[in-house]
Amino acid sequence: MKSTMIYRPLTATPFKHTSAYQEIEPCRMLQPYIRCFWGGVYYTSDTETDGDSQIVIPDTCVDIIYRMDDAGNIITSDFIGINDRSFYTQCNEKSERRISVFAIRFYAWSAYAFSEDSFIGTVNGRYDVRERFGWLDRELRSRLMEPANLTDWIRVAEELLLKKNETAREKVVVDRVMHDILRYQGGLGIDQLSKENFISGRQMERLFHEYIGMTPKKLSNLVRYQCLWRDVVSQTHFDIMDAVQKYGYTDLSHLMREFERYHSMNIRNALELCAGTLPKERMGDERM
């Protein structure tokens, strides 16, 4: 899965770095499996119904998320399956209730290496970590309840995952198909993927449901969307017509529809959400 290292999916606010949300790169050995560790401290009400909401876009990743209170009690321990749509989460920093978060963001196609069960039916789902990562929860839960910080928790998690990696599950066919999806930035059709990897479309779809939770076609579309989103936020003079050709969209309308389907807003509004971290001249680009 070394090809994963050339693919870096982004959140809706990729330059965000606050006390409530920080991303930290994993060690080199875990980079093919983990996009990042993340966490922070935030404040919330008991009902968590107040405060601003934040958009979460499909990032082709899955997350293990622990939330702890000041007493060291674990409030929630969730596994979040791969998403194919955007959704909103509440963010409240007005209350006195302090919550610490520690999370591991796996690439969706690499999490199976550390899991104990299938990912069938996990798209857009939320589950208890213990359902698929019981071994990790048994080792990690008690350590999270001890006084520590994000760096300490990352060190513990890396030790556990590196040890597990010695006996981690492998599915060469899935890894090989994913290599092609990433290499061609989601641009290969299912027939081409099947031909390149000497596997039928039906068998490929079955394996992807088992090990990732999503069809190869939908995952390819999400990878293409993420590559497009990276161009949007990283190129000083993003040209949308060049992107149509680069990523194999039928036409401009096709690109715009697919972006809005996954991002829940158009490209201009998506950029405005990143305002303050992008060059001002890009905000007025009429090609958006």
Side-chain angles (χ1 to χ4, degrees):
M1 285 185 285
K2 292 182 179 179
S3 58
T4 300
M5 300 179 72
I6 64 173
Y7 173 76
R8 308 293 293 167
L10 303 176
T11 64
T13 52
F15 308 105
K16 179 181 179 181
H17 185 88
T18 67
S19 60
Y21 184 86
Q22 302 174 49
E23 292 185 2
I24 298 178
E25 295 287 318
C27 67
R28 184 179 60 84
M29 292 294 292
L30 290 175
Q31 285 177 8
Y33 305 93
I34 296 175
R35 170 62 179 86
C36 66
F37 294 98
W38 62 272
V41 177
Y42 69 96
Y43 294 84
T44 182
S45 65
D46 289 334
T47 59
E48 298 191 11
T49 57
D50 300 323
D52 298 329
S53 60
Q54 297 182 346
I55 189 172
V56 178
I57 62 173
D59 61 1
T60 65
C61 293
V62 299
D63 291 80
I64 288 176
I65 308 173
Y66 286 90
R67 291 182 172 86
M68 292 77 67
D69 63 18
D70 275 341
N73 300 309
I74 293 180
I75 302 171
T76 60
S77 56
D78 296 322
F79 167 70
I80 311 299
I82 186 172
N83 292 296
D84 64 0
R85 61 175 182 247
S86 299
F87 62 94
Y88 287 84
T89 61
Q90 294 298 123
C91 180
N92 188 327
E93 299 187 7
K94 299 178 181 180
S95 175
E96 294 300 319
R97 193 180 184 210
R98 184 177 183 272
I99 304 296
S100 297
V101 179
F102 173 67
I104 307 170
R105 179 167 295 152
F106 291 97
Y107 294 105
W109 48 88
S110 59
Y112 81 83
F114 303 97
S115 72
E116 298 170 316
D117 203 353
S118 164
F119 289 115
I120 292 176
T122 58
V123 175
N124 302 317
R126 178 187 297 266
Y127 309 89
D128 191 297
V129 170
R130 290 166 285 195
E131 291 184 29
R132 289 175 175 81
F133 298 88
W135 72 270
L136 179 62
D137 184 84
R138 288 189 294 272
E139 298 285 346
L140 189 58
R141 181 176 289 263
S142 60
R143 304 292 293 275
L144 293 176
M145 297 170 68
E146 300 172 358
N149 55 37
L150 184 58
T151 302
D152 296 329
W153 292 332
I154 290 174
R155 184 176 63 254
V156 172
E158 284 188 332
E159 291 175 358
L160 294 172
L161 291 167
L162 284 170
K163 183 177 180 180
K164 182 68 171 180
N165 192 38
E166 297 174 1
T167 58
R169 294 198 299 166
E170 292 186 15
K171 195 63 179 179
V172 175
V173 175
V174 173
D175 294 347
R176 201 167 57 220
V177 174
M178 275 310 309
H179 174 85
D180 286 343
I181 290 175
L182 297 175
R183 178 185 176 190
Y184 292 97
Q185 300 178 310
L188 285 184
I190 298 304
D191 289 342
Q192 291 173 289
L193 286 171
S194 298
K195 185 176 180 180
E196 290 288 331
N197 292 279
F198 306 100
I199 183 175
S200 70
R202 180 174 297 180
Q203 184 181 5
M204 184 168 58
E205 185 166 316
R206 180 184 62 79
L207 289 172
F208 267 59
H209 273 299
E210 173 75 19
Y211 289 91
I212 301 174
M214 178 177 285
T215 67
K217 180 178 180 179
K218 181 167 286 187
L219 185 53
S220 294
N221 287 340
L222 288 175
V223 166
R224 178 170 66 172
Y225 151 72
Q226 270 290 333
C227 290
L228 170 64
W229 177 227
R230 175 167 288 279
D231 284 356
V232 169
V233 300
S234 65
Q235 294 180 4
T236 303
H237 301 291
F238 173 72
D239 190 314
I240 197 168
M241 294 308 300
D242 286 347
V244 171
Q245 182 176 5
K246 178 180 179 180
Y247 293 112
Y249 290 100
T250 305
D251 51 30
L252 177 59
S253 295
H254 180 204
L255 181 151
M256 297 297 288
R257 285 197 307 272
E258 185 162 292
F259 185 89
E260 290 186 35
R261 180 166 72 247
Y262 293 134
H263 214 99
S264 297
M265 63 185 74
N266 61 34
I267 292 177
R268 180 184 293 276
N269 290 338
L271 276 173
E272 289 175 351
L273 192 62
C274 299
T277 60
L278 291 171
K280 292 181 180 179
E281 59 267 21
R282 293 179 60 194
M283 295 295 113
D285 193 334
E286 294 301 324
R287 291 170 295 179
M288 301 298 179

